[in-house]
C-alpha cells in the first residue's frame, strides 16, 4: 500500500502536512467508483437543460386563460428569465465562496436541495410574483451547482481522464434540453393534461429526477484534496484508502505505486482579497483566457438560440408548436460535440482543441450567416447548419468550464469557477438578449445576419486568445498546473511537482 498522509492537526487547526493524496488519486484506473461520481454529480446538468428549455416552451401556455396563473408570455421569457439568470449569478458567487470555505460535499448537497425546493414551489405557483420569486431561487441553486460540482469533479477524476469527463458532463445539459423540448410537446397537449396541470407536472418531473440524483449523491465523498488543505488529513487518508481497496478488489490486482508528494501549510479559509490577487495578479493571462472563453461562447449561443424560434417562424413559416422538434435536433448536435470530441482534449491537448473548436464554430457561423443572407437556406438546412456550428461550439463552451476549474490554485477553484460562470451568464443572459432581441425578431434578414456575425466574431476572438494563452493542462495533476497557495517549500527527500508549477 502507498505511504499514508503524515499526521495532521485536528480540523480547524493549521499546520504543515506532507501528502501523496493527489498522486494516489491521479494514478487510479477508471472504475465503478468513478461512474458513481459522474452519475451523482454530473447528471444535474440534465436538470438545468430541462429547466431552461421547458420554461421557454411553456411560456405560451402559462399566458393562456385557464392556465391557473395570471402572467404574460413576455413576463415568462423576460422578467422570469432575467431573474433566473440573476439568481444563477448570485448563487454561483455565494455558494462558490462557501464551497472553498466549507467543502465540496456540504455545498453540492445544499445547492441541490435549494434547486429541488424552488422547483417544487414553482409548480405550485398561483400568482406572477410567486413564479418570479422561485425562478430566482431555482437559478440560485443551479448557479451554486456549477461552482460546487465542477470543483469536486476535477478533484476526484484522474488527470488522464479529466478533460473528456468534464466536457461530457457539462454537455449533458443538452440531453436535458432535448428532454425539455420533447416533454413540453406532451405536457402541453390538452388532450392528455388540462391547461392548468400539464405545466405543473413538468416542474414536478424535474423534482423527481433531482431526488434520484440526491440519493446517489449521498455516497459521493468529500474531495480529499480539499480535506488535506483544511486540516483534515486523516479523513482524506480514509477516503483515498477506501477507494483504493474498492478498486483493487474490483480489478483483482494491486494498484501501481503513486509518484510524488506535496507539502502543505494547512489553512482554515481564504479571503476574497487573496483569491482576487491570485486570479488577477498571479495568473493574469489565465484570467484573460477565462473571460474570453466564457464571453465568446455566451454571445454565440445567444446569437443562435435566443431567437431560434422566432427565426424559424418569421423567415421559414414554421408553426410555433413545431419549433420544439427543431430545437431537439440542435440540442442533439450540442451533446454529440463534447461526447465525440472530449477524448481529444486529453490526447491532442487543450490548446489545440480549445482554439480549434472556438475558431471552427465561429467560422462556420460566419458561413451560415452568408448562406442565410443569400436566401440559400430553409428551415431544415438552417437547422443542419446550426447543428454543425454547435457541435464544435458545445465542446468549446464546455472546455471553458474545464479551463477555469483546473488552471487556478485549489483554494480558489470553486470561487474562480463561480466568477467566470457569473461573468459568462451575465453576458449571455443580460447583454446577449439586449443585443439580439430586436435583431432576431425584426423580420429583417440583415439584422439576423448581424446577430450571427457578432456571435461568430467573439467566438473567433476567443479562439485566437486560446491559441496564445491556453494552458497545456492535459494529463497533468491539478497541483502541477497551479501550485496550491498553501504549498510549503519541499523538505529534504520530498519531491513535489506542485512546487515547480509556474504562473502564466
Amino acid at each position: 500500500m502507498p505511504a499514508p498522509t503524515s499526521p495532521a492537526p485536528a480540523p480547524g487547526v493549521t499546520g504543515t502536512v506532507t501528502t501523496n493524496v493527489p498522486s494516489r488519486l491521479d494514478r487510479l484506473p477508471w472504475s465503478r467508483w468513478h461512474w458513481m461520481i459522474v452519475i451523482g454529480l454530473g447528471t444535474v446538468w440534465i436538470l438545468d437543460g430541462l429547466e431552461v428549455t421547458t420554461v421557454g416552451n411553456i411560456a405560451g401556455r402559462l399566458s393562456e386563460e385557464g392556465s391557473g396563473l395570471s402572467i404574460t408570455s413576455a413576463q415568462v421569457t423576460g422578467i422570469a428569465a432575467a431573474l433566473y439568470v440573476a439568481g444563477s449569478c448570485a448563487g454561483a458567487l455565494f455558494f462558490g465562496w462557501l464551497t472553498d470555505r466549507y467543502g465540496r460535499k456540504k455545498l453540492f448537497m445544499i445547492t441541490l436541495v435549494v434547486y429541488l425546493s424552488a422547483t417544487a414551489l414553482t409548480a405550485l405557483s398561483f400568482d406572477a410574483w410567486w413564479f418570479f420569486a422561485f425562478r430566482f431561487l431555482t437559478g440560485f441553486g443551479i448557479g451554486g451547482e456549477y461552482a460546487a460540482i465542477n470543483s469536486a469533479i476535477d478533484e476526484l477524476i484522474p488527470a488522464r481522464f479529466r478533460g473528456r469527463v468534464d466536457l461530457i458532463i457539462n454537455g449533458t445539459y443538452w440531453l436535458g434540453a432535448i428532454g425539455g423540448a420533447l416533454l413540453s410537446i406532451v405536457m402541453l397537449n390538452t388532450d392528455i393534461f388540462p391547461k392548468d396541470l400539464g405545466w405543473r407536472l413538468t416542474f414536478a418531473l424535474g423534482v423527481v429526477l433531482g431526488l434520484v440524483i440526491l440519493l446517489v449523491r449521498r455516497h459521493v465523498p468529500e474531495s480529499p484534496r480539499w480535506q488535506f488543505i483544511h486540516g483534515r488529513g486523516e479523513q482524506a487518508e480514509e477516503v483515498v484508502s477506501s477507494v483504493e481497496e474498492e478498486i483493487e478488489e474490483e480489478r483483482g490486482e494491486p494498484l501501481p505505486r503513486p509518484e510524488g508528494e506535496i507539502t502543505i501549510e494547512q489553512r482554515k479559509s481564504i479571503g476574497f482579497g487573496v483569491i482576487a490577487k491570485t486570479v488577477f495578479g498571479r495568473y493574469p493571462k489565465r484570467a484573460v483566457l477565462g473571460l474570453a472563453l466564457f464571453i465568446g461562447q455566451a454571445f454565440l449561443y445567444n446569437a443562435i438560440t435566443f431567437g431560434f424560434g422566432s427565426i424559424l417562424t418569421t423567415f421559414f413559416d414554421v408553426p410555433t408548436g413545431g419549433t420544439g422538434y427543431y430545437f431537439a435536433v440542435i440540442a442533439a448536435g450540442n451533446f454529440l460535440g463534447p461526447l465525440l470530441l472530449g477524448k481529444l482534449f486529453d490526447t491532442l491537448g487543450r490548446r489545440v482543441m480549445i482554439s480549434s473548436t472556438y475558431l471552427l464554430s465561429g467560422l462556420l457561423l460566419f458561413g451560415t450567416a452568408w448562406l442565410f443572407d443569400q436566401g440559400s437556406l430553409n428551415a431544415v438546412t438552417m437547422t443542419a447548419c446550426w447543428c454543425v456550428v454547435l457541435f464544435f461550439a458545445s465542446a468549446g463552451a464546455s472546455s471553458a468550464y474545464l479551463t477555469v476549474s483546473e488552471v487556478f490554485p485549489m483554494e480558489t477553484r470553486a470561487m474562480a469557477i463561480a466568477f467566470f460562470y457569473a461573468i459568462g451568464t451575465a453576458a449571455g443572459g443580460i447583454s446577449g438578449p439586449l443585443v439580439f432581441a430586436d435583431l432576431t425578431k425584426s423580420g429583417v434578414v440583415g439584422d439576423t445576419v448581424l446577430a450571427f456575425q457578432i456571435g461568430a466574431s467573439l467566438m473567433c476572438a476567443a479562439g485566437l486568445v486560446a491559441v496564445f494563452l491556453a494552458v497545456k493542462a492535459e494529463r497533468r495533476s491539478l497541483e502541477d498546473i497551479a501550485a496550491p497557495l498553501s504549498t510549503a517549500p519541499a523538505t529534504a527527500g520530498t519531491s513535489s511537482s506542485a512546487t515547480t508549477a509556474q504562473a502564466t
Side-chain angles (χ1 to χ4, degrees):
M1 291 298 294
T5 300
S6 62
V13 180
T14 57
T16 302
V17 60
T18 297
T19 179
N20 60 4
V21 161
S23 59
R24 289 165 68 184
L25 288 170
D26 282 335
R27 72 49 156 111
L28 294 175
W30 192 263
S31 66
R32 288 192 298 265
W33 184 78
H34 293 106
W35 278 117
M36 183 266 292
I37 299 297
V38 169
I39 294 170
L41 298 182
T43 46
V44 74
W45 301 155
I46 296 176
L47 293 180
D48 190 16
L50 183 73
E51 185 79 29
V52 174
T53 308
T54 295
V55 171
N57 287 331
I58 68 173
R61 174 54 46 81
L62 288 174
S63 64
E64 293 177 2
E65 185 177 352
S67 70
L69 190 62
S70 179
I71 195 171
T72 66
S73 179
Q75 286 178 317
V76 176
T77 58
I79 297 174
L83 287 171
Y84 183 86
V85 169
S88 296
C89 296
L93 295 171
F94 177 71
F95 288 120
W97 175 68
L98 293 179
T99 298
D100 279 334
R101 186 178 181 89
Y102 295 109
R104 296 5 179 173
K105 180 161 187 173
K106 286 182 181 178
L107 271 298
F108 66 58
M109 295 298 286
I110 291 171
T111 53
L112 184 55
V113 170
V114 171
Y115 164 81
L116 291 174
S117 302
T119 301
L121 290 167
T122 301
L124 301 177
S125 296
F126 57 89
D127 203 350
W129 70 265
W130 181 281
F131 185 82
F132 294 151
F134 288 103
R135 288 309 294 159
F136 176 85
L137 290 176
T138 301
F140 195 70
I142 284 293
E145 285 277 292
Y146 275 91
I149 299 304
N150 277 297
S151 56
I153 288 172
D154 282 358
E155 290 169 10
L156 293 170
I157 298 298
R160 62 189 180 282
F161 301 115
R162 189 173 61 240
R164 72 196 76 174
V165 170
D166 203 302
L167 258 70
I168 292 171
I169 284 175
N170 280 285
T172 58
Y173 171 96
W174 295 102
L175 285 179
I178 295 171
L182 299 178
L183 182 65
S184 64
I185 295 172
V186 176
M187 291 300 184
L188 297 183
N189 188 336
T190 53
D191 292 333
I192 302 175
F193 299 105
K195 282 186 176 182
D196 62 346
L197 181 61
W199 67 269
R200 298 183 191 273
L201 292 178
T202 304
F203 286 111
L205 180 59
V207 174
V208 172
L209 293 175
L211 287 172
V212 173
I213 295 172
L214 188 63
L215 292 175
V216 176
R217 193 173 284 188
R218 290 171 54 244
H219 302 288
V220 177
E222 177 58 85
S223 164
R225 284 178 154 105
W226 183 88
Q227 287 175 322
F228 72 68
I229 280 185
H230 288 79
R232 295 170 170 82
E234 292 182 0
Q235 295 175 22
E237 171 66 28
E238 290 174 3
V239 170
V240 178
S241 294
S242 66
V243 174
E244 289 171 333
E245 291 172 5
E246 179 182 328
I247 294 177
E248 286 182 338
E249 182 178 350
E250 177 185 330
R251 296 174 62 87
E253 61 183 14
L255 293 168
R257 292 186 62 83
E259 298 179 0
E261 295 177 330
I262 184 171
T263 300
I264 291 293
E265 296 284 355
Q266 295 171 318
R267 302 183 181 209
K268 291 182 289 185
S269 63
I270 304 291
F272 275 117
V274 175
I275 293 173
K277 184 178 180 181
T278 300
V279 173
F280 296 102
R282 185 174 174 182
Y283 295 102
K285 294 181 181 178
R286 297 184 183 188
V288 170
L289 173 67
L291 288 171
L293 296 182
F294 268 91
I295 292 174
Q297 60 88 22
F299 273 87
L300 177 132
Y301 271 94
N302 273 275
I304 294 178
T305 61
F306 185 83
F308 92 96
S310 62
I311 291 171
L312 291 175
T313 56
T314 301
F315 296 104
F316 303 116
D317 297 323
V318 174
T320 303
T323 58
Y325 294 105
Y326 292 90
F327 188 83
V329 172
I330 66 172
N334 272 286
F335 176 65
L336 289 175
L339 181 66
L340 299 180
L341 299 178
K343 185 177 181 179
L344 298 178
F345 284 78
D346 287 322
T347 53
L348 292 181
R350 306 289 199 262
R351 178 169 293 177
V352 171
M353 290 306 299
I354 294 173
S355 58
S356 61
T357 51
Y358 271 76
L359 287 168
L360 268 173
S361 58
L363 292 173
L364 287 168
L365 186 54
F366 272 124
T368 301
W370 182 81
L371 290 172
F372 180 69
D373 191 37
Q374 297 298 307
S376 303
L377 300 176
N378 56 35
V380 173
T381 53
M382 172 66 93
T383 302
C385 288
W386 281 338
C387 240
V388 176
V389 170
L390 296 174
F391 175 84
F392 294 103
S394 182
S398 294
S399 73
Y401 292 93
L402 168 67
T403 297
V404 299
S405 68
E406 67 181 359
V407 301
F408 297 107
M410 204 209 77
E411 299 92 331
T412 70
R413 181 163 295 123
M415 196 61 208
I417 296 168
F419 172 78
F420 290 104
Y421 168 78
I423 292 294
T425 302
I430 300 173
S431 302
L434 290 175
V435 172
F436 298 125
D438 292 335
L439 292 178
T440 56
K441 294 180 180 180
S442 69
V444 178
V445 170
D447 288 348
T448 299
V449 169
L450 178 59
F452 288 173
Q453 290 173 337
I454 293 172
S457 298
L458 289 172
M459 203 69 173
C460 287
L464 292 175
V465 170
V467 169
F468 297 101
L469 300 184
V471 179
K472 295 181 179 180
E474 60 274 7
R475 308 175 75 86
R476 293 171 62 191
S477 167
L478 293 171
E479 291 73 24
D480 185 41
I481 299 168
L485 300 181
S486 309
T487 302
T491 57
T494 300
S495 64
S496 174
S497 60
T499 60
T500 65
Q502 299 296 316
T504 60

